Amino acid sequence: MSNIVIKVSQKTIAEMMNFYQQALLNKKVPYTVFVAKKEQTTITAYTSGKVMFQGSGAEAEAARWSNSADLSKTANANNKAPSSSLPADFSQWSVVGSDEVGNGSYFGPLVVCAVYASKDQLPALKALGVKDSKMLTDPQIRAMAPKIKKLVPYQLLTVEPTKYNEIQPKYNTVRMKVALHNQAIRLLLQKIAPKTPDAILIDQFTSEKNYRTYLKSEKNQITEKLFFATKGEQYHLAVAAASILCRTVFLEELEKASQEVGLQLPSGAGSKSDQVAAQLLQKGGMPLLAKYTKLHFANTEKAQKIAGYYQ
């Protein structure tokens, strides 16, 4: 686990608190301004002006604020640059990259996207500012997405909560993502034919062995030229672009759902999600909750307790 500590002004801490508003934890820690949990990263801001980032996304989150801070990594054996078994010049290949967003959020859909970025298109993607979406703000991501769509071929798949809840008892989350990645890649390969990529890079969410095991259950299997890497967006812009398109669709769908129910539906799966889900239960019971959430999350039971809801 990576630990990164930065020193920022009180003004920046206020900006950070606003930025992580939906991820704030109801956690009382001495000498802290706030504690937030975003996906697999915990952000703790102290009254001294120091901010600690802990978890797999620590470097990416700290990088958001690096313009106004001095980064100092704590001594940790795991604080190493990402490594993989990819070829040394892989970042310059013509690649289909795939990623997903929404898997860790109680509200909103699961979105998978595959993007084909030829080596000739890489300079243009870089010029747009395409990079790891975790290093971009949501407004930056949403502004960039239409430009990416005009530049490169892509395939988006969106599983709304209602469909997700229908599938989930039969497909565990990993199997569902394998099926979606495979389908998005297959459809994109059809779009770009007769062109073929040098490789297909999947942002790794399970072991390659596990992926290929689940893949055997799919009718139209894409098995050739597959590569897997955690933090795949750091190894090729195709994955970074796919991540940006995924995130944009996720945000748009969450915004649309919020307007439908008249409540601000948060991303993530923290205590804020429990509170909002409890309001939905009081408003329309389980049928309404099932329309907007992934019911198998622990948030459902927590929301039922808060709402005093018993079937």
Side-chain angles (χ1 to χ4, degrees):
M1 179 184 291
S2 293
N3 285 1
I4 296 179
V5 178
I6 64 176
K7 183 73 181 288
V8 298
S9 67
Q10 293 301 318
K11 179 181 177 182
T12 300
I13 284 183
E15 292 174 355
M16 294 174 75
M17 188 171 181
N18 182 61
F19 181 83
Y20 294 115
Q21 187 67 41
Q22 295 184 351
L24 294 178
L25 301 179
N26 293 325
K27 195 173 182 180
K28 301 296 182 182
V29 180
Y31 309 110
T32 64
V33 180
F34 71 84
V35 180
K37 181 71 176 289
K38 184 179 180 186
E39 297 178 351
Q40 302 303 312
T41 304
T42 300
I43 302 100
T44 306
Y46 294 91
T47 53
S48 64
K50 290 184 178 181
V51 183
M52 179 181 289
F53 300 83
Q54 298 172 290
S56 59
E59 292 188 28
E61 287 303 318
R64 291 182 187 274
W65 313 98
S66 60
N67 288 339
S68 55
D70 294 323
L71 274 68
S72 59
K73 294 184 182 179
T74 60
N76 188 308
N78 291 327
N79 279 337
K80 299 177 182 177
S83 61
S84 76
S85 57
L86 298 175
D89 62 343
F90 188 86
S91 64
Q92 300 306 310
W93 289 15
S94 296
V95 168
V96 165
S98 67
D99 199 1
E100 84 281 335
V101 170
N103 178 61
S105 182
Y106 182 53
F107 288 99
L110 172 60
V111 186
V112 173
C113 182
V115 164
Y116 173 60
S118 70
K119 58 185 178 183
D120 295 333
Q121 293 167 321
L122 296 178
L125 284 173
K126 189 173 182 179
L128 281 180
V130 173
K131 57 184 175 181
D132 182 356
S133 65
K134 296 181 182 66
M135 298 175 68
L136 299 168
T137 63
D138 287 343
Q140 287 175 322
I141 287 170
R142 296 180 78 164
M144 200 177 293
K147 299 174 184 177
I148 293 173
K149 287 181 176 180
K150 290 180 180 179
L151 185 62
V152 293
Y154 65 92
Q155 179 65 54
L156 277 158
L157 297 176
T158 303
V159 182
E160 298 293 347
T162 301
K163 185 65 175 178
Y164 181 99
N165 292 326
E166 179 186 327
I167 298 171
Q168 191 274 326
K170 295 173 282 188
Y171 276 56
N172 65 40
T173 305
V174 174
R175 184 183 175 189
M176 192 186 304
K177 289 196 288 185
V178 169
L180 290 168
H181 276 265
N182 181 70
Q183 185 179 2
I185 292 166
R186 180 178 64 83
L187 293 173
L188 181 57
L189 290 176
Q190 290 177 353
K191 282 184 180 180
I192 66 173
K195 292 180 182 178
T196 58
D198 297 328
I200 298 168
L201 179 60
I202 297 171
D203 191 52
Q204 190 164 5
F205 53 87
T206 189
S207 68
E208 179 176 353
K209 180 180 178 181
N210 211 26
Y211 183 95
R212 290 186 181 276
T213 297
Y214 281 120
L215 189 60
K216 291 176 182 177
S217 302
E218 299 305 307
K219 290 182 179 179
N220 301 294
Q221 303 166 20
I222 304 301
T223 60
E224 301 297 323
K225 300 182 180 180
L226 291 182
F227 289 82
F228 301 83
T230 55
K231 300 182 180 178
E233 61 276 9
Q234 296 184 17
Y235 296 104
H236 203 281
L237 291 179
V239 179
S243 178
I244 289 169
L245 296 187
C246 279
R247 180 69 179 168
T248 298
V249 171
F250 175 81
L251 291 171
E252 289 173 349
E253 291 299 316
L254 200 62
E255 189 176 274
K256 177 183 174 184
S258 296
Q259 292 172 351
E260 288 177 358
V261 298
L263 293 169
Q264 183 62 50
L265 304 183
S267 62
S271 58
K272 179 66 174 177
S273 295
D274 302 337
Q275 298 292 335
V276 175
Q279 291 179 267
L280 283 184
L281 276 172
Q282 292 168 339
K283 191 173 183 179
M286 287 301 292
L288 185 62
L289 193 66
K291 187 177 178 181
Y292 296 103
T293 69
K294 303 176 183 73
L295 289 177
H296 69 103
F297 277 41
N299 302 81
T300 299
E301 186 176 344
K302 294 176 183 177
Q304 288 172 331
K305 289 180 180 179
I306 293 170
Y309 182 89
Y310 304 99
Q311 289 181 300

